[in-house]
Amino acid sequence: MPLLTTGISHHTATLETREKIAIARTEYASHVKELHELDGVEEVVVVSTCNRTEIYSIGPKHSREQVRRWLQNMGDLTDAEMDEHCYVRERELAVRHLFRVAGGLESLVLGESQIVGQLKDSWQMAREAGGAGKVLDRLFQHAFATGKRIRSKTGIGEHPVSVAYTTVMLAKQIFGDLTSKTVVLVGAGEMIELCGRHLHDKGVSSLIVANRSLDRATEVAEEFGAHAVALTELPSVLHKADIVISSTASPEPVIHVEPIKAALKQRRNQPMFLVDIAVPRDIHPDVGKLGNVFLYTIDDLQKVVDKNLSKRSEAAEAATGDVNDAVNEFMRWLNSARAAVYLQNMHKHARKNSEELVAKALRKINAGQDPEQVITQLANTLAKRILHLPSTRLREAAEEQDDELLKVANRLFEPEDTK
């Protein structure tokens, strides 16, 4: 029962290609059922994020092509596109891949933790749709435990590696609890939206968005329950700001020394944290010379991001041993589970023959035949039946010079006293 991972990710394909095979959450259940109905697919879990779409499946070798073809048809991809972008990993490599994904080691942003929740949702929906069985259940639970162990042991997610998130974490380092602070966001582009989202997640309830277009400022402000003002009103609200984050497309500074001086006076020189993530700069560099002002530029933040990326890379390297240990542990369980299936079949075969022969022997004894003779015959017949197929296979192996199978047989049936 080979374990397979079939997918396309940011490592192998552009966003345009990934969009073709992206699967909406509302379609998970139906796609799991479709895949589960393919010939040979015994278990299946579908994972789809902005960076990857992957199918984890259990089934015989021929199911590999079935799953790959399903993915191709679903995304309407050509054979050439599949050959270029699609990867298939089997057995131990599939296990290792999932454990690295769960640990954030395969993410676009190294060490990000959002993927764990996405994997859990995928696993849960597959279970509800009847796709995940004993093996994939165990695999995904091992993956969650491995991801948790990697994060707690290496601290891989502790160092922010985006400019927006780094901005918010620096503010937290300066002020501690941000919930009581007022933040003024200058601009209304993607970077400001990201900062607003991070600040909102940190519990900041007092947010002001200032933008040249009041309509756009209002649109962004509504997402976070913030207050919107036109850029011309910025000087009148600066005194409220514990934190100012600016990212506009202005060719010249929009925040100068005098308005900040006036704001500090109204604030009775309570400190202000200003972050300029615009190029060209939004905040005049002389603002940084004022007392009680902490001014960071995009270059300052990039240094922090680069340093944190280096720390995450070191943590990822340190996590290799944890991944290896987890893979080995799961593979031992999987191999034991495979052996259990074979043993069950052997016992079933032996029980069927023994029950049939015992019933026949009892009838003979009840009919008056010699019990000793009946039992001897029973033992001989049972041994022949159980050993018939293995004996045939061994003779074939000898004729074909299959030394490996002969060695295995010798190991299985060699009497203890001859070792």
Side-chain angles (χ1 to χ4, degrees), residues 203-227:
V204 175
S205 56
S206 181
L207 283 165
I208 300 171
V209 180
N211 190 54
R212 201 173 302 279
S213 166
L214 182 58
D215 288 343
R216 175 58 183 158
T218 302
E219 183 182 341
V220 173
E222 286 177 351
E223 183 179 352
F224 314 114
H227 176 61

mmCIF file with all atom_site columns, all heavy atoms in Angstrom, residues 203-227:
data_model
loop_
_atom_site.group_PDB
_atom_site.id
_atom_site.type_symbol
_atom_site.label_atom_id
_atom_site.label_alt_id
_atom_site.label_comp_id
_atom_site.label_asym_id
_atom_site.label_entity_id
_atom_site.label_seq_id
_atom_site.pdbx_PDB_ins_code
_atom_site.Cartn_x
_atom_site.Cartn_y
_atom_site.Cartn_z
_atom_site.occupancy
_atom_site.B_iso_or_equiv
_atom_site.pdbx_formal_charge
_atom_site.auth_seq_id
_atom_site.auth_comp_id
_atom_site.auth_asym_id
_atom_site.auth_atom_id
_atom_site.pdbx_PDB_model_num
ATOM 1   N N   . GLY A 1 203 ? -4.509  43.411 19.055 1.00 0.00 ? 203 GLY A N   1
ATOM 2   C CA  . GLY A 1 203 ? -5.459  44.003 19.993 1.00 0.00 ? 203 GLY A CA  1
ATOM 3   C C   . GLY A 1 203 ? -5.533  45.515 19.972 1.00 0.00 ? 203 GLY A C   1
ATOM 4   O O   . GLY A 1 203 ? -6.200  46.119 20.833 1.00 0.00 ? 203 GLY A O   1
ATOM 5   N N   . VAL A 1 204 ? -4.863  46.174 19.014 1.00 0.00 ? 204 VAL A N   1
ATOM 6   C CA  . VAL A 1 204 ? -4.937  47.634 18.932 1.00 0.00 ? 204 VAL A CA  1
ATOM 7   C C   . VAL A 1 204 ? -6.346  48.032 18.494 1.00 0.00 ? 204 VAL A C   1
ATOM 8   O O   . VAL A 1 204 ? -6.809  47.623 17.429 1.00 0.00 ? 204 VAL A O   1
ATOM 9   C CB  . VAL A 1 204 ? -3.894  48.189 17.946 1.00 0.00 ? 204 VAL A CB  1
ATOM 10  C CG1 . VAL A 1 204 ? -4.061  49.696 17.784 1.00 0.00 ? 204 VAL A CG1 1
ATOM 11  C CG2 . VAL A 1 204 ? -2.489  47.857 18.422 1.00 0.00 ? 204 VAL A CG2 1
ATOM 12  N N   . SER A 1 205 ? -7.020  48.835 19.309 1.00 0.00 ? 205 SER A N   1
ATOM 13  C CA  . SER A 1 205 ? -8.408  49.205 18.996 1.00 0.00 ? 205 SER A CA  1
ATOM 14  C C   . SER A 1 205 ? -8.527  50.630 18.468 1.00 0.00 ? 205 SER A C   1
ATOM 15  O O   . SER A 1 205 ? -9.538  50.999 17.881 1.00 0.00 ? 205 SER A O   1
ATOM 16  C CB  . SER A 1 205 ? -9.287  49.064 20.243 1.00 0.00 ? 205 SER A CB  1
ATOM 17  O OG  . SER A 1 205 ? -8.762  49.840 21.313 1.00 0.00 ? 205 SER A OG  1
ATOM 18  N N   . SER A 1 206 ? -7.472  51.444 18.676 1.00 0.00 ? 206 SER A N   1
ATOM 19  C CA  . SER A 1 206 ? -7.527  52.841 18.231 1.00 0.00 ? 206 SER A CA  1
ATOM 20  C C   . SER A 1 206 ? -6.615  53.026 17.026 1.00 0.00 ? 206 SER A C   1
ATOM 21  O O   . SER A 1 206 ? -5.400  53.202 17.151 1.00 0.00 ? 206 SER A O   1
ATOM 22  C CB  . SER A 1 206 ? -7.085  53.770 19.375 1.00 0.00 ? 206 SER A CB  1
ATOM 23  O OG  . SER A 1 206 ? -7.158  55.120 18.952 1.00 0.00 ? 206 SER A OG  1
ATOM 24  N N   . LEU A 1 207 ? -7.205  52.973 15.844 1.00 0.00 ? 207 LEU A N   1
ATOM 25  C CA  . LEU A 1 207 ? -6.470  53.092 14.590 1.00 0.00 ? 207 LEU A CA  1
ATOM 26  C C   . LEU A 1 207 ? -7.023  54.245 13.767 1.00 0.00 ? 207 LEU A C   1
ATOM 27  O O   . LEU A 1 207 ? -8.256  54.419 13.674 1.00 0.00 ? 207 LEU A O   1
ATOM 28  C CB  . LEU A 1 207 ? -6.580  51.803 13.771 1.00 0.00 ? 207 LEU A CB  1
ATOM 29  C CG  . LEU A 1 207 ? -5.722  50.608 14.189 1.00 0.00 ? 207 LEU A CG  1
ATOM 30  C CD1 . LEU A 1 207 ? -6.219  49.346 13.512 1.00 0.00 ? 207 LEU A CD1 1
ATOM 31  C CD2 . LEU A 1 207 ? -4.267  50.856 13.833 1.00 0.00 ? 207 LEU A CD2 1
ATOM 32  N N   . ILE A 1 208 ? -6.148  55.036 13.182 1.00 0.00 ? 208 ILE A N   1
ATOM 33  C CA  . ILE A 1 208 ? -6.542  56.135 12.300 1.00 0.00 ? 208 ILE A CA  1
ATOM 34  C C   . ILE A 1 208 ? -5.831  55.940 10.966 1.00 0.00 ? 208 ILE A C   1
ATOM 35  O O   . ILE A 1 208 ? -4.612  55.729 10.930 1.00 0.00 ? 208 ILE A O   1
ATOM 36  C CB  . ILE A 1 208 ? -6.162  57.508 12.900 1.00 0.00 ? 208 ILE A CB  1
ATOM 37  C CG1 . ILE A 1 208 ? -6.862  57.714 14.245 1.00 0.00 ? 208 ILE A CG1 1
ATOM 38  C CG2 . ILE A 1 208 ? -6.516  58.635 11.937 1.00 0.00 ? 208 ILE A CG2 1
ATOM 39  C CD1 . ILE A 1 208 ? -6.375  58.941 15.004 1.00 0.00 ? 208 ILE A CD1 1
ATOM 40  N N   . VAL A 1 209 ? -6.581  56.005 9.870  1.00 0.00 ? 209 VAL A N   1
ATOM 41  C CA  . VAL A 1 209 ? -6.004  55.870 8.531  1.00 0.00 ? 209 VAL A CA  1
ATOM 42  C C   . VAL A 1 209 ? -6.095  57.219 7.824  1.00 0.00 ? 209 VAL A C   1
ATOM 43  O O   . VAL A 1 209 ? -7.192  57.767 7.661  1.00 0.00 ? 209 VAL A O   1
ATOM 44  C CB  . VAL A 1 209 ? -6.741  54.795 7.702  1.00 0.00 ? 209 VAL A CB  1
ATOM 45  C CG1 . VAL A 1 209 ? -6.110  54.677 6.313  1.00 0.00 ? 209 VAL A CG1 1
ATOM 46  C CG2 . VAL A 1 209 ? -6.695  53.448 8.407  1.00 0.00 ? 209 VAL A CG2 1
ATOM 47  N N   . ALA A 1 210 ? -4.942  57.749 7.438  1.00 0.00 ? 210 ALA A N   1
ATOM 48  C CA  . ALA A 1 210 ? -4.891  59.031 6.718  1.00 0.00 ? 210 ALA A CA  1
ATOM 49  C C   . ALA A 1 210 ? -4.400  58.784 5.301  1.00 0.00 ? 210 ALA A C   1
ATOM 50  O O   . ALA A 1 210 ? -3.356  58.153 5.106  1.00 0.00 ? 210 ALA A O   1
ATOM 51  C CB  . ALA A 1 210 ? -3.955  60.005 7.436  1.00 0.00 ? 210 ALA A CB  1
ATOM 52  N N   . ASN A 1 211 ? -5.148  59.289 4.329  1.00 0.00 ? 211 ASN A N   1
ATOM 53  C CA  . ASN A 1 211 ? -4.781  59.055 2.937  1.00 0.00 ? 211 ASN A CA  1
ATOM 54  C C   . ASN A 1 211 ? -5.229  60.226 2.078  1.00 0.00 ? 211 ASN A C   1
ATOM 55  O O   . ASN A 1 211 ? -6.177  60.947 2.424  1.00 0.00 ? 211 ASN A O   1
ATOM 56  C CB  . ASN A 1 211 ? -5.422  57.756 2.432  1.00 0.00 ? 211 ASN A CB  1
ATOM 57  C CG  . ASN A 1 211 ? -4.882  57.339 1.070  1.00 0.00 ? 211 ASN A CG  1
ATOM 58  O OD1 . ASN A 1 211 ? -3.672  57.220 0.898  1.00 0.00 ? 211 ASN A OD1 1
ATOM 59  N ND2 . ASN A 1 211 ? -5.765  57.134 0.114  1.00 0.00 ? 211 ASN A ND2 1
ATOM 60  N N   . ARG A 1 212 ? -4.540  60.404 0.954  1.00 0.00 ? 212 ARG A N   1
ATOM 61  C CA  . ARG A 1 212 ? -4.888  61.502 0.056  1.00 0.00 ? 212 ARG A CA  1
ATOM 62  C C   . ARG A 1 212 ? -6.337  61.361 -0.416 1.00 0.00 ? 212 ARG A C   1
ATOM 63  O O   . ARG A 1 212 ? -7.080  62.336 -0.503 1.00 0.00 ? 212 ARG A O   1
ATOM 64  C CB  . ARG A 1 212 ? -3.930  61.517 -1.150 1.00 0.00 ? 212 ARG A CB  1
ATOM 65  C CG  . ARG A 1 212 ? -3.874  62.851 -1.861 1.00 0.00 ? 212 ARG A CG  1
ATOM 66  C CD  . ARG A 1 212 ? -2.782  62.840 -2.930 1.00 0.00 ? 212 ARG A CD  1
ATOM 67  N NE  . ARG A 1 212 ? -1.476  62.529 -2.371 1.00 0.00 ? 212 ARG A NE  1
ATOM 68  C CZ  . ARG A 1 212 ? -0.693  63.416 -1.755 1.00 0.00 ? 212 ARG A CZ  1
ATOM 69  N NH1 . ARG A 1 212 ? -1.095  64.660 -1.582 1.00 0.00 ? 212 ARG A NH1 1
ATOM 70  N NH2 . ARG A 1 212 ? 0.490   63.052 -1.294 1.00 0.00 ? 212 ARG A NH2 1
ATOM 71  N N   . SER A 1 213 ? -6.752  60.132 -0.719 1.00 0.00 ? 213 SER A N   1
ATOM 72  C CA  . SER A 1 213 ? -8.145  59.861 -1.075 1.00 0.00 ? 213 SER A CA  1
ATOM 73  C C   . SER A 1 213 ? -8.901  59.410 0.163  1.00 0.00 ? 213 SER A C   1
ATOM 74  O O   . SER A 1 213 ? -8.612  58.344 0.723  1.00 0.00 ? 213 SER A O   1
ATOM 75  C CB  . SER A 1 213 ? -8.212  58.761 -2.148 1.00 0.00 ? 213 SER A CB  1
ATOM 76  O OG  . SER A 1 213 ? -9.520  58.258 -2.266 1.00 0.00 ? 213 SER A OG  1
ATOM 77  N N   . LEU A 1 214 ? -9.851  60.229 0.603  1.00 0.00 ? 214 LEU A N   1
ATOM 78  C CA  . LEU A 1 214 ? -10.602 59.885 1.806  1.00 0.00 ? 214 LEU A CA  1
ATOM 79  C C   . LEU A 1 214 ? -11.447 58.631 1.592  1.00 0.00 ? 214 LEU A C   1
ATOM 80  O O   . LEU A 1 214 ? -11.607 57.817 2.513  1.00 0.00 ? 214 LEU A O   1
ATOM 81  C CB  . LEU A 1 214 ? -11.510 61.064 2.214  1.00 0.00 ? 214 LEU A CB  1
ATOM 82  C CG  . LEU A 1 214 ? -12.324 60.865 3.494  1.00 0.00 ? 214 LEU A CG  1
ATOM 83  C CD1 . LEU A 1 214 ? -11.428 60.578 4.686  1.00 0.00 ? 214 LEU A CD1 1
ATOM 84  C CD2 . LEU A 1 214 ? -13.203 62.092 3.760  1.00 0.00 ? 214 LEU A CD2 1
ATOM 85  N N   . ASP A 1 215 ? -11.949 58.448 0.371  1.00 0.00 ? 215 ASP A N   1
ATOM 86  C CA  . ASP A 1 215 ? -12.755 57.249 0.089  1.00 0.00 ? 215 ASP A CA  1
ATOM 87  C C   . ASP A 1 215 ? -11.928 55.980 0.281  1.00 0.00 ? 215 ASP A C   1
ATOM 88  O O   . ASP A 1 215 ? -12.392 54.999 0.868  1.00 0.00 ? 215 ASP A O   1
ATOM 89  C CB  . ASP A 1 215 ? -13.283 57.295 -1.354 1.00 0.00 ? 215 ASP A CB  1
ATOM 90  C CG  . ASP A 1 215 ? -14.382 58.335 -1.544 1.00 0.00 ? 215 ASP A CG  1
ATOM 91  O OD1 . ASP A 1 215 ? -14.940 58.772 -0.514 1.00 0.00 ? 215 ASP A OD1 1
ATOM 92  O OD2 . ASP A 1 215 ? -14.650 58.706 -2.691 1.00 0.00 ? 215 ASP A OD2 1
ATOM 93  N N   . ARG A 1 216 ? -10.700 56.015 -0.219 1.00 0.00 ? 216 ARG A N   1
ATOM 94  C CA  . ARG A 1 216 ? -9.830  54.840 -0.065 1.00 0.00 ? 216 ARG A CA  1
ATOM 95  C C   . ARG A 1 216 ? -9.452  54.647 1.398  1.00 0.00 ? 216 ARG A C   1
ATOM 96  O O   . ARG A 1 216 ? -9.409  53.509 1.898  1.00 0.00 ? 216 ARG A O   1
ATOM 97  C CB  . ARG A 1 216 ? -8.568  55.023 -0.924 1.00 0.00 ? 216 ARG A CB  1
ATOM 98  C CG  . ARG A 1 216 ? -7.518  53.930 -0.758 1.00 0.00 ? 216 ARG A CG  1
ATOM 99  C CD  . ARG A 1 216 ? -8.050  52.548 -1.085 1.00 0.00 ? 216 ARG A CD  1
ATOM 100 N NE  . ARG A 1 216 ? -7.022  51.529 -0.851 1.00 0.00 ? 216 ARG A NE  1
ATOM 101 C CZ  . ARG A 1 216 ? -7.269  50.256 -0.634 1.00 0.00 ? 216 ARG A CZ  1
ATOM 102 N NH1 . ARG A 1 216 ? -8.533  49.816 -0.589 1.00 0.00 ? 216 ARG A NH1 1
ATOM 103 N NH2 . ARG A 1 216 ? -6.284  49.408 -0.433 1.00 0.00 ? 216 ARG A NH2 1
ATOM 104 N N   . ALA A 1 217 ? -9.192  55.743 2.110  1.00 0.00 ? 217 ALA A N   1
ATOM 105 C CA  . ALA A 1 217 ? -8.889  55.656 3.545  1.00 0.00 ? 217 ALA A CA  1
ATOM 106 C C   . ALA A 1 217 ? -10.057 55.026 4.300  1.00 0.00 ? 217 ALA A C   1
ATOM 107 O O   . ALA A 1 217 ? -9.860  54.178 5.185  1.00 0.00 ? 217 ALA A O   1
ATOM 108 C CB  . ALA A 1 217 ? -8.580  57.037 4.110  1.00 0.00 ? 217 ALA A CB  1
ATOM 109 N N   . THR A 1 218 ? -11.257 55.408 3.933  1.00 0.00 ? 218 THR A N   1
ATOM 110 C CA  . THR A 1 218 ? -12.453 54.865 4.576  1.00 0.00 ? 218 THR A CA  1
ATOM 111 C C   . THR A 1 218 ? -12.592 53.373 4.299  1.00 0.00 ? 218 THR A C   1
ATOM 112 O O   . THR A 1 218 ? -12.939 52.578 5.180  1.00 0.00 ? 218 THR A O   1
ATOM 113 C CB  . THR A 1 218 ? -13.705 55.603 4.083  1.00 0.00 ? 218 THR A CB  1
ATOM 114 O OG1 . THR A 1 218 ? -13.568 56.996 4.367  1.00 0.00 ? 218 THR A OG1 1
ATOM 115 C CG2 . THR A 1 218 ? -14.961 55.063 4.758  1.00 0.00 ? 218 THR A CG2 1
ATOM 116 N N   . GLU A 1 219 ? -12.296 52.972 3.057  1.00 0.00 ? 219 GLU A N   1
ATOM 117 C CA  . GLU A 1 219 ? -12.385 51.563 2.664  1.00 0.00 ? 219 GLU A CA  1
ATOM 118 C C   . GLU A 1 219 ? -11.436 50.701 3.495  1.00 0.00 ? 219 GLU A C   1
ATOM 119 O O   . GLU A 1 219 ? -11.806 49.626 3.991  1.00 0.00 ? 219 GLU A O   1
ATOM 120 C CB  . GLU A 1 219 ? -12.051 51.431 1.179  1.00 0.00 ? 219 GLU A CB  1
ATOM 121 C CG  . GLU A 1 219 ? -12.170 50.022 0.634  1.00 0.00 ? 219 GLU A CG  1
ATOM 122 C CD  . GLU A 1 219 ? -11.775 49.944 -0.834 1.00 0.00 ? 219 GLU A CD  1
ATOM 123 O OE1 . GLU A 1 219 ? -11.753 50.995 -1.514 1.00 0.00 ? 219 GLU A OE1 1
ATOM 124 O OE2 . GLU A 1 219 ? -11.466 48.829 -1.293 1.00 0.00 ? 219 GLU A OE2 1
ATOM 125 N N   . VAL A 1 220 ? -10.189 51.176 3.675  1.00 0.00 ? 220 VAL A N   1
ATOM 126 C CA  . VAL A 1 220 ? -9.208  50.438 4.475  1.00 0.00 ? 220 VAL A CA  1
ATOM 127 C C   . VAL A 1 220 ? -9.594  50.454 5.947  1.00 0.00 ? 220 VAL A C   1
ATOM 128 O O   . VAL A 1 220 ? -9.509  49.444 6.651  1.00 0.00 ? 220 VAL A O   1
ATOM 129 C CB  . VAL A 1 220 ? -7.796  51.028 4.279  1.00 0.00 ? 220 VAL A CB  1
ATOM 130 C CG1 . VAL A 1 220 ? -6.803  50.372 5.239  1.00 0.00 ? 220 VAL A CG1 1
ATOM 131 C CG2 . VAL A 1 220 ? -7.336  50.844 2.837  1.00 0.00 ? 220 VAL A CG2 1
ATOM 132 N N   . ALA A 1 221 ? -10.043 51.613 6.427  1.00 0.00 ? 221 ALA A N   1
ATOM 133 C CA  . ALA A 1 221 ? -10.388 51.762 7.852  1.00 0.00 ? 221 ALA A CA  1
ATOM 134 C C   . ALA A 1 221 ? -11.514 50.838 8.266  1.00 0.00 ? 221 ALA A C   1
ATOM 135 O O   . ALA A 1 221 ? -11.537 50.316 9.384  1.00 0.00 ? 221 ALA A O   1
ATOM 136 C CB  . ALA A 1 221 ? -10.757 53.211 8.144  1.00 0.00 ? 221 ALA A CB  1
ATOM 137 N N   . GLU A 1 222 ? -12.465 50.615 7.367  1.00 0.00 ? 222 GLU A N   1
ATOM 138 C CA  . GLU A 1 222 ? -13.620 49.771 7.707  1.00 0.00 ? 222 GLU A CA  1
ATOM 139 C C   . GLU A 1 222 ? -13.206 48.337 8.027  1.00 0.00 ? 222 GLU A C   1
ATOM 140 O O   . GLU A 1 222 ? -13.850 47.660 8.824  1.00 0.00 ? 222 GLU A O   1
ATOM 141 C CB  . GLU A 1 222 ? -14.627 49.785 6.555  1.00 0.00 ? 222 GLU A CB  1
ATOM 142 C CG  . GLU A 1 222 ? -15.409 51.076 6.451  1.00 0.00 ? 222 GLU A CG  1
ATOM 143 C CD  . GLU A 1 222 ? -16.340 51.094 5.253  1.00 0.00 ? 222 GLU A CD  1
ATOM 144 O OE1 . GLU A 1 222 ? -16.240 50.166 4.401  1.00 0.00 ? 222 GLU A OE1 1
ATOM 145 O OE2 . GLU A 1 222 ? -17.168 52.021 5.158  1.00 0.00 ? 222 GLU A OE2 1
ATOM 146 N N   . GLU A 1 223 ? -12.122 47.872 7.425  1.00 0.00 ? 223 GLU A N   1
ATOM 147 C CA  . GLU A 1 223 ? -11.669 46.496 7.659  1.00 0.00 ? 223 GLU A CA  1
ATOM 148 C C   . GLU A 1 223 ? -11.238 46.285 9.105  1.00 0.00 ? 223 GLU A C   1
ATOM 149 O O   . GLU A 1 223 ? -11.382 45.196 9.655  1.00 0.00 ? 223 GLU A O   1
ATOM 150 C CB  . GLU A 1 223 ? -10.502 46.165 6.724  1.00 0.00 ? 223 GLU A CB  1
ATOM 151 C CG  . GLU A 1 223 ? -10.017 44.734 6.857  1.00 0.00 ? 223 GLU A CG  1
ATOM 152 C CD  . GLU A 1 223 ? -8.880  44.395 5.916  1.00 0.00 ? 223 GLU A CD  1
ATOM 153 O OE1 . GLU A 1 223 ? -8.545  45.221 5.038  1.00 0.00 ? 223 GLU A OE1 1
ATOM 154 O OE2 . GLU A 1 223 ? -8.313  43.293 6.057  1.00 0.00 ? 223 GLU A OE2 1
ATOM 155 N N   . PHE A 1 224 ? -10.727 47.358 9.741  1.00 0.00 ? 224 PHE A N   1
ATOM 156 C CA  . PHE A 1 224 ? -10.199 47.235 11.104 1.00 0.00 ? 224 PHE A CA  1
ATOM 157 C C   . PHE A 1 224 ? -11.010 48.018 12.131 1.00 0.00 ? 224 PHE A C   1
ATOM 158 O O   . PHE A 1 224 ? -10.592 48.145 13.279 1.00 0.00 ? 224 PHE A O   1
ATOM 159 C CB  . PHE A 1 224 ? -8.738  47.722 11.155 1.00 0.00 ? 224 PHE A CB  1
ATOM 160 C CG  . PHE A 1 224 ? -7.888  47.205 10.036 1.00 0.00 ? 224 PHE A CG  1
ATOM 161 C CD1 . PHE A 1 224 ? -7.373  48.056 9.077  1.00 0.00 ? 224 PHE A CD1 1
ATOM 162 C CD2 . PHE A 1 224 ? -7.621  45.848 9.922  1.00 0.00 ? 224 PHE A CD2 1
ATOM 163 C CE1 . PHE A 1 224 ? -6.598  47.578 8.040  1.00 0.00 ? 224 PHE A CE1 1
ATOM 164 C CE2 . PHE A 1 224 ? -6.854  45.358 8.895  1.00 0.00 ? 224 PHE A CE2 1
ATOM 165 C CZ  . PHE A 1 224 ? -6.345  46.221 7.943  1.00 0.00 ? 224 PHE A CZ  1
ATOM 166 N N   . GLY A 1 225 ? -12.135 48.567 11.727 1.00 0.00 ? 225 GLY A N   1
ATOM 167 C CA  . GLY A 1 225 ? -12.923 49.387 12.646 1.00 0.00 ? 225 GLY A CA  1
ATOM 168 C C   . GLY A 1 225 ? -12.185 50.663 13.011 1.00 0.00 ? 225 GLY A C   1
ATOM 169 O O   . GLY A 1 225 ? -12.277 51.151 14.147 1.00 0.00 ? 225 GLY A O   1
ATOM 170 N N   . ALA A 1 226 ? -11.411 51.216 12.055 1.00 0.00 ? 226 ALA A N   1
ATOM 171 C CA  . ALA A 1 226 ? -10.588 52.403 12.300 1.00 0.00 ? 226 ALA A CA  1
ATOM 172 C C   . ALA A 1 226 ? -11.323 53.667 11.868 1.00 0.00 ? 226 ALA A C   1
ATOM 173 O O   . ALA A 1 226 ? -12.404 53.622 11.273 1.00 0.00 ? 226 ALA A O   1
ATOM 174 C CB  . ALA A 1 226 ? -9.264  52.278 11.545 1.00 0.00 ? 226 ALA A CB  1
ATOM 175 N N   . HIS A 1 227 ? -10.701 54.806 12.184 1.00 0.00 ? 227 HIS A N   1
ATOM 176 C CA  . HIS A 1 227 ? -11.239 56.113 11.807 1.00 0.00 ? 227 HIS A CA  1
ATOM 177 C C   . HIS A 1 227 ? -10.456 56.626 10.608 1.00 0.00 ? 227 HIS A C   1
ATOM 178 O O   . HIS A 1 227 ? -9.222  56.534 10.587 1.00 0.00 ? 227 HIS A O   1
ATOM 179 C CB  . HIS A 1 227 ? -11.119 57.091 12.985 1.00 0.00 ? 227 HIS A CB  1
ATOM 180 C CG  . HIS A 1 227 ? -11.558 58.478 12.655 1.00 0.00 ? 227 HIS A CG  1
ATOM 181 N ND1 . HIS A 1 227 ? -12.840 58.785 12.260 1.00 0.00 ? 227 HIS A ND1 1
ATOM 182 C CD2 . HIS A 1 227 ? -10.857 59.660 12.659 1.00 0.00 ? 227 HIS A CD2 1
ATOM 183 C CE1 . HIS A 1 227 ? -12.938 60.088 12.040 1.00 0.00 ? 227 HIS A CE1 1
ATOM 184 N NE2 . HIS A 1 227 ? -11.753 60.638 12.273 1.00 0.00 ? 227 HIS A NE2 1
#
